[in-house]
Every structure is written in structure tokens, then in C-alpha cells.
């Protein structure tokens, strides 16, 4: 899966879900709303599964970053806590995306490693707990928190479970990049 196609599919999926939510609340549009809502979830689930199976941590982070940014754009002023949480996630993912070029440059990443405290709370399996780890871990927590309310649709639960699994896989794949950068 290439980045442009991933982003286009995430945009389409989020738009379908948002349209579905709006139509579900519009008399006479409920059937079309449900179809749009479910089609959007189906597309997003497929995108997240493809990103997950790619094994590419940057692609996985990009999928979640794009989704979160678009979801934030669909939020309303009546959701200040959710907006604040999504804004923080977008900020973390923005920093994470800037970390990928560093980890691919061994000399640069060795500087990052030396600048990071050796204390275990600043390490992920011995490597720096940098912006990628922070973004993935905090977003998994954010997604878990969203599932704690009653009445979450099954399609939202399924999508959330896949997103959390993908973020964990992204962290593990990224850790392998870190080890490679620091071993070389």
C-alpha cells in the first residue's frame, strides 16, 4: 500500500462514516445513513489491516495520524474533551512523523540515543522512548478510553481493536528500526 492511496482511502472512509452519522439523525435518511456508516467503517478497517500487515511502522503511524486528524475535523464544539484529546494526539503524531528520517540516519539517531536518559522510564526495550513510542502508546490509551462508554457500536469497537493492534505493531516495527540504527 502506498501513502497517497492510504490517505485517500482514510479520507473516503472518514467521510462515509461522518455522512452516515449525520444521515442517521435525519428523518427519512436513516437507511442511507446506516449504509454509509457501515461502508465507511468497512473501508477504514480494510485500510488499517493493510497498513498493519505491511509491517511498515511509518505507514501504520500515517494511517492513524490521518484518521485522527480527519476525525478531529468532523468533531463539533459540543465535544470539547474529545477535541482536546484528538488535538493532543495529532500533535504527538506530527512529532512522530518527523522522527522517521532520524531513525533511518544512523549517525543522527545515535545522537538522539545519547541525548535520551538511560533511565528505564525513558526507554523502550533499551532504545529511546521517542516521539513514535509516545504517540503510539498514548493513542492506544485514548482509543481504549473511548471504548469505556456504554452503547459503542460494534463497528466502532472492531475498528478500535484493529487500530490498537496496529499501533502496537507499529511500535514493535519501529523498535526494530531503532535497534538497526543503533547497532550499525
Amino acid at each position: 500500500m502506498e501513502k497517497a492511496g492510504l490517505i485517500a482511502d482514510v479520507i473516503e472512509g472518514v467521510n462515509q462514516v461522518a455522512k452516515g452519522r449525520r444521515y442517521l439523525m435525519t428523518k427519512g435518511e436513516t437507511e442511507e445513513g446506516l449504509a454509509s456508516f457501515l461502508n465507511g467503517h468497512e473501508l477504514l478497517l480494510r485500510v488499517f489491516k493493510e497498513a498493519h500487515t505491511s509491517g511498515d511502522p511509518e505507514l501504520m503511524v500515517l494511517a492513524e495520524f490521518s484518521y485522527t486528524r480527519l476525525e478531529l475535523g468532523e468533531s463539533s464544539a459540543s465535544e470539547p474533551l474529545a477535541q482536546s484529546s484528538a488535538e493532543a494526539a495529532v500533535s504527538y503524531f506530527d512529532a512522530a512523523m518527523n522522527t522517521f528520517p532520524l531513525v533511518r540516519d544512523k549517525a543522527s539517531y545515535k545522537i538522539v540515543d545519547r541525548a535520551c536518559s538511560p533511565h528505564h522510564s525513558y526507554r523502550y526495550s533499551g532504545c529511546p522512548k521517542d516521539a513514535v513510542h509516545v504517540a503510539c502508546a498514548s493513542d492506544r490509551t485514548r482509543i481504549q478510553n473511548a471504548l469505556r462508554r456504554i452503547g459503542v457500536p460494534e463497528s466502532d469497537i472492531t475498528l478500535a481493536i484493529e487500530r490498537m493492534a496496529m499501533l502496537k505493531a507499529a511500535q514493535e516495527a519501529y523498535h526494530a528500526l531503532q535497534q538497526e540504527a543503533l547497532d550499525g
Side-chain angles (χ1 to χ4, degrees):
M1 171 173 259
E2 39 96 21
K3 291 177 185 175
L6 175 134
I7 292 170
D9 285 349
V10 170
I11 290 169
E12 178 61 26
V14 169
N15 286 341
Q16 286 291 316
V17 169
K19 175 183 170 188
R21 284 186 177 131
R22 283 189 300 272
Y23 279 29
L24 281 169
M25 299 301 162
T26 305
K27 189 173 181 169
E29 301 291 344
T30 307
E31 213 171 286
E32 186 179 343
L34 180 60
S36 182
F37 182 79
L38 294 174
N39 288 338
H41 273 90
E42 185 179 303
L43 175 58
L44 288 166
L45 186 60
R46 188 171 64 244
V47 169
F48 285 121
K49 283 183 176 183
E50 283 181 33
H52 186 168
T53 58
S54 76
D56 179 350
E58 188 172 7
L59 195 62
M60 290 184 253
V61 168
L62 180 62
E64 183 64 21
F65 181 31
S66 300
Y67 176 79
T68 304
R69 194 172 41 204
L70 289 163
E71 194 177 47
L72 177 60
E74 290 293 335
S75 67
S76 73
S78 66
E79 305 170 298
L81 294 175
Q83 282 180 335
S84 177
S85 178
E87 286 168 355
V90 166
S91 175
Y92 290 154
F93 282 121
D94 194 34
M97 293 306 294
N98 291 325
T99 307
F100 284 103
L102 291 173
V103 78
R104 290 192 173 99
D105 178 353
K106 292 179 182 197
S108 293
Y109 205 71
K110 286 180 181 180
I111 293 169
V112 169
D113 182 51
R114 286 195 309 267
C116 184
S117 171
H119 190 270
H120 68 88
S121 61
Y122 295 95
R123 296 278 161 173
Y124 182 92
S125 298
C127 291
K129 194 184 283 183
D130 60 25
V132 174
H133 292 292
V134 170
C136 291
S138 65
D139 205 54
R140 280 198 326 269
T141 300
R142 185 177 75 87
I143 295 166
Q144 285 174 331
N145 288 341
L147 292 177
R148 289 190 177 149
R149 67 183 210 274
I150 294 172
V152 177
E154 189 63 35
S155 56
D156 281 341
I157 293 169
T158 302
L159 187 60
I161 289 169
E162 176 56 37
R163 289 167 58 209
M164 288 186 295
M166 180 192 69
L167 288 167
K168 183 65 177 164
Q171 229 177 325
E172 293 300 321
Y174 180 73
H175 179 250
L177 288 179
Q178 288 178 297
Q179 288 178 313
E180 185 181 313
L182 296 174
D183 290 342

